[in-house]
Amino acid sequence: MMKYLTKSLWLLGFSVVISCGLYPAVLWVIGQTLFPYQANGSLITDASGKVIGSELIAQPFTKDEYFQPRPSAISYDASASGPSNLAASNYVLRDRVAKTLGPVVKYAGGSKAGQLVAPDVEAWFQKDQFQGQPHLVAQWADAHNGVATAWVSADATHATYIDDWAKAHPDDVAAFVKSNPGTPEPKAADLAVVFFESFSKDNPGKFPSAVSSTSPDGKVTSSIQPVGEGSDIQSTFFDMWRQEHADVALEDVPGDMVMASGSGLDPHISLDNAHFQLERVAGKWAANLNRNPADVQKEIERILDDHTSAPFGGLVGEKMVNVLEVNLDLRKHFGEPAS
């Protein structure tokens, strides 16, 4: 009996040493010797050596100067994984898709073929009518309370703006408290719908958006102001515009512009996706630098070409670009975008 037990213990010991010690150690030595960059997470650093990301994990980019990654169902959290499970009829999903498409989608036919829809969305918005009724922004907030509330939570300056509005509109706040006795001291997010209803009446054809200004000493500051044009208008109200223009033919868009993967951590987008965003990115850099948009677009196209790759040297698969690498190259080439 002891003979078999001893052999089993020896076998167990050898297995533990080989599987849990020797094998990992050999892999670690090979990785650190031959593939140190990949073995340590493919980390990307800035000029000072600070780690700013990994080429294996997507990051959110919201500025118009940058290419945007594929949507993430888990907010680009590398420790999580899972789909959104939102139906096509869910307005949260429709709003996310609209925010992507509004500034970049183009007409597919007719006299405006190839032209951006965005200017027409702005012109339609400024009329302040939706399905024959006035106060478009109020209708938007009433129909989609969750999206209106999300606007408040998206940026600290939004909540501050509503707090200032609440101080100037005590009667509106009192009416809200009377209708909602369970919320005697409403916060900014609680007042989202009431705020947009008031704002829509006071500022027809306008929407609160961040506007940058430069002081005499050269300092750039940002504040929330009523605006009737810009990417916020194009993206936020594209879905409502589409509802009133359902028969208008629009260009198809690459699937990875609007569809999130299971994890949402894909660091790459298709080259078609990048080209679809190219006009927006080039236009914003050209405006920042006061340069010809066509010249800037050619320079960005060369940057995209430098970062384009496909499996097996391009023999199979779709051409892709790494969003983080491209955006870092844009910043290196054009400088830091305005705040």
Side-chain angles (χ1 to χ4, degrees):
M1 181 67 180
M2 288 299 299
K3 176 181 178 182
Y4 296 111
L5 180 60
T6 302
K7 290 182 178 180
S8 297
L9 290 175
W10 274 106
L11 180 60
L12 175 62
F14 277 120
S15 299
V16 170
V17 171
I18 294 173
S19 301
C20 301
L22 185 60
Y23 178 69
V26 170
L27 290 184
W28 182 84
V29 171
I30 293 175
Q32 295 299 321
T33 303
L34 302 179
F35 312 102
Y37 178 71
Q38 293 87 341
N40 290 290
S42 300
L43 301 179
I44 298 176
T45 59
D46 60 15
S48 64
K50 179 182 177 181
V51 175
I52 55 177
S54 167
E55 67 176 39
L56 303 177
I57 302 174
Q59 296 184 30
F61 288 89
T62 57
K63 286 182 176 291
D64 288 337
E65 292 92 340
Y66 294 132
F67 289 95
Q68 297 171 1
R70 184 173 180 173
S72 169
I74 40 81
S75 301
Y76 304 97
D77 183 355
S79 65
S81 180
S84 66
N85 292 329
L86 297 176
S89 59
N90 189 296
Y91 193 78
V92 173
L93 175 61
R94 294 177 64 86
D95 179 67
R96 176 176 66 72
V97 172
K99 280 180 165 57
T100 300
L101 297 184
V104 298
V105 74
K106 298 179 180 179
Y107 290 103
S111 60
K112 292 187 176 182
Q115 296 182 25
L116 289 171
V117 171
D120 288 345
V121 175
E122 293 174 344
W124 164 85
F125 171 81
Q126 291 164 13
K127 294 177 181 178
D128 199 34
Q129 296 276 332
F130 180 65
Q131 297 180 345
Q133 300 298 318
H135 307 311
L136 187 155
V137 172
Q139 293 186 64
W140 167 80
D142 288 337
H144 313 296
N145 297 2
V147 177
T149 302
W151 181 89
V152 180
S153 305
D155 193 300
T157 59
H158 296 178
T160 301
Y161 187 76
I162 293 184
D163 288 339
D164 293 338
W165 168 87
K167 294 175 183 177
H169 296 77
D171 292 342
D172 290 331
V173 176
F176 173 86
V177 173
K178 184 177 181 180
S179 300
N180 300 271
T183 313
E185 297 182 2
K187 299 184 182 300
D190 300 322
L191 296 170
V193 175
V194 178
F195 159 75
F196 279 115
E197 290 175 345
S198 171
F199 180 92
S200 185
K201 294 175 183 177
D202 295 340
N203 303 276
K206 302 287 185 180
F207 187 75
S209 183
V211 176
S212 297
S213 59
T214 305
S215 61
D217 60 359
K219 184 179 180 180
V220 178
T221 59
S222 180
S223 61
I224 303 297
Q225 298 180 22
V227 301
E229 57 186 20
S231 59
D232 277 355
I233 304 299
Q234 300 161 8
S235 59
T236 304
F237 297 96
F238 171 75
D239 184 70
M240 295 178 74
W241 175 90
R242 186 57 172 156
Q243 291 179 46
E244 286 200 349
H245 302 80
D247 296 331
V248 175
L250 303 179
E251 288 186 357
D252 293 334
V253 300
D256 62 318
M257 281 193 73
V258 296
M259 297 179 65
S261 67
S263 64
L265 297 179
D266 300 293
H268 295 83
I269 59 173
S270 66
L271 186 59
D272 288 341
N273 186 342
H275 281 153
F276 216 93
Q277 300 183 54
L278 178 59
E279 188 170 343
R280 167 183 56 81
V281 175
K284 187 62 176 178
W285 280 113
N288 289 350
L289 302 173
N290 196 25
R291 292 184 53 191
N292 186 312
D295 293 338
V296 173
Q297 183 164 322
K298 290 179 180 178
E299 294 176 22
I300 297 178
E301 286 176 343
R302 287 195 290 269
I303 292 175
L304 288 176
D305 289 341
D306 291 340
H307 290 279
T308 299
S309 62
F312 298 102
L315 296 177
V316 298
E318 189 171 7
K319 292 183 177 180
M320 312 288 283
V321 294
N322 187 291
V323 176
L324 178 58
E325 291 180 345
V326 169
N327 287 341
L328 288 174
D329 219 354
L330 287 176
R331 189 163 65 181
K332 180 180 179 181
H333 186 81
F334 295 113
E336 188 80 19
S339 301

